[in-house]
């Protein structure tokens, strides 16, 4: 699957004057949806089921380090599968570090506001560009620093972020395709 760096979709609820953010990035890929039935809820759930194990280990390390500074962590991951089973991807729900801020027909916005920075992740399901059976899925991240510690925190996170997001996008596509294949 080809992943391309792109821009925040103009149709996204996060699209505003991007100068209000201190950091933005977007990555896009194609996903099979021959009957045009894929929903933003499916994409949101796949986001939490699709990460490679090494990403989970990085988040675990992150949680141990930032807890020293009193920052928010993803909490207890031992009952993660039960949390995933109960997760319906509705506004206000929280799964780990990610709260659902908005959900529309085409988009789920996840993220967290913390004392050092606020971040949002948009999972935007747009129209396809190459074939009528494919849709465009874009993951965008926006970050607003709340203080100097937010800037300092993001320095080592940024290079990992640029590696993680394309992998997450590939994982989401794979997860959705597997779910749809197994339900047929």
């Amino acid at each position: 699957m080809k992943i391309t760096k792109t821009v925040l979709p103009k149709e996204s609820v996060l699209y505003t004057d991007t100068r209000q953010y201190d950091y933005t990035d977007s990555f896009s890929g194609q996903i099979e949806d021959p009957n045009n039935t894929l929903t933003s809820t499916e994409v949101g759930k796949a986001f939490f089921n699709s990460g490679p194990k090494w990403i989970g280990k990085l988040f675990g390390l992150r949680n141990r380090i930032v807890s020293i500074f009193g920052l928010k962590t993803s909490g207890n991951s031992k009952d993660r599968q039960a949390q995933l089973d109960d997760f319906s991807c509705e506004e206000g729900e929280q799964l780990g570090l990610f709260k659902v801020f908005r959900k529309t027909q085409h988009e789920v916005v996840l993220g967290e506001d913390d004392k050092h920075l606020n971040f949002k992740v948009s999972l935007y399901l747009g129209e396809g560009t190459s074939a009528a059976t494919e849709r465009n899925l874009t993951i965008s991240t926006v970050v607003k620093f709340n203080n100097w510690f937010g800037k300092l925190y993001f320095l080592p996170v940024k290079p990992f972020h640029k590696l993680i997001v394309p992998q997450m996008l590939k994982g989401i596509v794979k997860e959705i395709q597997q779910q749809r294949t197994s339900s047929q």
Side-chain angles (χ1 to χ4, degrees):
M1 161 179 222
K2 183 180 178 186
I3 303 295
T4 57
K5 187 152 177 50
T6 188
V7 295
L8 184 66
K10 289 181 181 177
E11 302 82 6
S12 170
V13 298
L14 295 179
Y15 187 84
T16 59
D17 181 356
T18 55
R19 290 177 291 177
Q20 79 177 12
Y21 304 120
D22 296 307
Y23 176 83
T24 63
D25 71 17
S26 296
F27 295 89
S28 183
Q30 297 294 305
I31 187 166
E32 291 289 325
D33 187 20
N35 299 320
N36 199 29
T37 58
L38 185 60
T39 67
S40 61
T41 299
E42 286 179 87
V43 173
K45 286 182 160 192
F47 173 83
F48 291 104
N49 280 321
S50 61
K53 289 186 185 202
W54 63 268
I55 292 174
K57 291 182 189 291
L58 274 178
F59 266 104
L61 176 63
R62 176 235 177 247
N63 288 338
R64 286 191 299 278
I65 293 170
V66 303
S67 66
I68 296 167
F69 300 101
L71 301 181
K72 294 180 181 177
T73 64
S74 57
N76 183 0
S77 61
K78 291 180 181 166
D79 59 349
R80 181 153 174 92
Q81 190 56 52
Q83 292 173 348
L84 282 168
D85 292 342
D86 292 338
F87 184 68
S88 59
C89 200
E90 294 300 324
E91 288 184 25
E93 274 189 289
Q94 182 102 20
L95 187 57
L97 187 62
F98 295 88
K99 175 182 174 184
V100 179
F101 279 94
R102 290 281 308 270
K103 185 175 109 176
T104 68
Q105 180 181 356
H106 296 284
E107 182 175 31
V108 174
V109 176
L110 309 161
E112 188 58 80
D113 294 339
D114 207 342
K115 59 185 173 186
H116 66 308
L117 60 76
N118 302 338
F119 76 94
K120 305 289 183 290
V121 176
S122 163
L123 306 169
Y124 185 81
L125 190 57
E127 299 303 317
T129 56
S130 62
T133 62
E134 291 184 334
R135 309 243 336 248
N136 194 42
L137 179 58
T138 304
I139 299 182
S140 301
T141 306
V142 299
V143 179
K144 178 70 178 161
F145 303 130
N146 294 329
N147 53 39
W148 65 269
F149 186 65
K151 290 179 187 180
L152 183 64
Y153 168 89
F154 198 67
L155 280 175
V157 169
K158 186 176 175 180
F160 288 105
H161 174 81
K162 290 181 178 189
L163 293 172
I164 290 170
V165 174
Q167 290 301 312
M168 290 293 296
L169 181 53
K170 286 180 183 179
I172 291 169
V173 170
K174 184 178 177 183
E175 174 72 19
I176 289 171
Q177 289 173 339
Q178 285 176 346
Q179 290 289 328
R180 287 179 161 229
T181 302
S182 67
S183 67
Q184 291 177 353

